[in-house]
């Protein structure tokens, strides 16, 4: 599936990030891949616990800084 084509066709992509220490560490790498490497832009962002903190970084376009924490 071509996610960039889907984003253009649907108008917006959303992402929901979960809580939990190990999941949070995994999610940072996945966010980096999707945003920085693949160039996706999420119009809807949500999360709980550590995912909420990552959601803030994603919304503020601070993906590189998420990798440093």
């Amino acid at each position: 599936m071509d996610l960039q084509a889907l984003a253009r066709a649907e108008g917006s992509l959303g992402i929901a990030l979960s809580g939990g220490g190990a999941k949070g560490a995994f999610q940072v790498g996945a966010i980096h891949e999707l945003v920085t490497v693949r160039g996706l832009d999420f119009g809807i962002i949500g999360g709980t616990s550590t995912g909420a903190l990552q959601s803030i970084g994603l919304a503020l376009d601070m993906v590189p800084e998420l990798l440093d924490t």
Side-chain angles (χ1 to χ4, degrees):
M1 175 190 327
D2 183 2
L3 291 178
Q4 291 175 334
L6 178 64
R8 286 190 299 274
E10 300 295 324
S12 184
L13 285 177
I15 189 167
L17 303 168
S18 65
K23 289 180 198 172
F26 169 79
Q27 288 174 160
V28 169
I31 292 167
H32 178 266
E33 173 70 21
L34 293 172
V35 174
T36 306
V37 177
R38 297 186 186 223
L40 296 180
D41 183 29
F42 294 100
I44 303 167
I45 305 166
T48 184
S49 188
T50 190
L53 297 174
Q54 294 167 355
S55 295
I56 294 168
L58 181 55
L60 295 174
D61 198 28
M62 297 176 62
V63 174
E65 286 84 354
L66 289 174
L67 292 172
D68 292 337
T69 59

